[in-house]
């Protein structure tokens, strides 16, 4: 009886600690963007990364990668705002994430260039990251 009671209590506690995570991906030419939104009770964390690998025909382009992550606030029902402070400069990278029924659209502030150098960008330029199921 004690084992059953302990097991039931352990399942209840572990079930409430699980976080919901949604992944979104966009491949735009040689840019690959990934967005991860994790929700744990009222806490929301947004992580975004981008990778760019030029083709052999793109002589002037250089490969680049960038990543930002941090706590996000719910601005409206379908919009999140995430800010990450730069370690090097006194600036913040702000990502505005607009959620749609099938994905997400990301807009970045100018200061995000410190996190994604060169041609890399977190902004989707109006294109939708597709939600991975």
């Amino acid at each position: 009886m004690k084992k059953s009671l302990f097991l039931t209590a352990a399942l209840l506690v572990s079930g409430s600690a699980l976080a919901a995570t949604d992944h979104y991906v966009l491949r735009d030419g040689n840019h690959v963007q990934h967005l991860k939104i994790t929700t744990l009770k009222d806490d929301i964390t947004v992580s975004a990364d981008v990778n760019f690998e030029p083709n052999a025909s793109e002589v002037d382009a250089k490969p680049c990668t960038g990543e930002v992550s941090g706590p996000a606030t719910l601005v409206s029902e379908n919009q999140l705002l995430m800010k990450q402070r730069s370690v090097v400069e006194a600036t913040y990278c702000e990502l505005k994430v607009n959620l749609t029924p099938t994905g997400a659209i990301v807009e970045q502030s100018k200061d995000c260039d410190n996190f994604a150098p060169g041609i890399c960008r977190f902004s989707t330029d109006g294109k939708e990251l597709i939600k991975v199921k």
Side-chain angles (χ1 to χ4, degrees):
M1 180 69 177
K2 287 184 181 181
K3 285 184 182 180
S4 297
L5 185 59
F6 178 76
L7 184 58
T8 304
L11 287 173
L12 287 173
V13 170
S14 67
S16 64
L18 293 176
T21 302
D22 293 319
H23 292 268
Y24 304 84
V25 177
L26 173 66
R27 183 177 185 120
D28 183 18
N30 294 337
H31 274 91
V32 177
Q33 293 170 278
H34 174 242
L35 177 71
K36 181 171 78 169
I37 301 174
T38 303
T39 306
L40 177 62
K41 295 186 182 181
D42 293 334
D43 296 329
I44 302 171
T45 303
V46 170
S47 299
D49 61 79
V50 61
N51 293 299
F52 173 76
E53 189 67 41
N55 289 331
S57 63
E58 297 173 306
V59 180
D60 295 335
K62 296 184 187 217
C64 59
T65 61
E67 183 176 343
V68 291
S69 65
T73 56
L74 192 61
V75 177
S76 67
E77 184 179 336
N78 296 323
Q79 190 175 69
L80 300 170
L81 181 65
M82 189 278 301
K83 293 181 181 182
Q84 182 176 348
R85 185 164 191 242
S86 173
V87 177
V88 180
E89 299 179 21
T91 59
Y92 285 89
C93 173
E94 292 184 1
L95 295 185
K96 190 184 303 181
V97 180
N98 295 303
L99 300 172
T100 68
T102 57
I105 298 170
V106 179
E107 299 172 32
Q108 73 177 42
S109 66
K110 175 69 176 137
D111 293 328
C112 291
D113 293 344
N114 297 331
F115 294 88
I119 196 169
C120 280
R121 63 189 181 282
F122 299 109
S123 179
T124 59
D125 297 328
K127 296 176 184 168
E128 184 178 50
L129 291 139
I130 305 300
K131 186 174 184 177
V132 178
K133 295 181 182 183

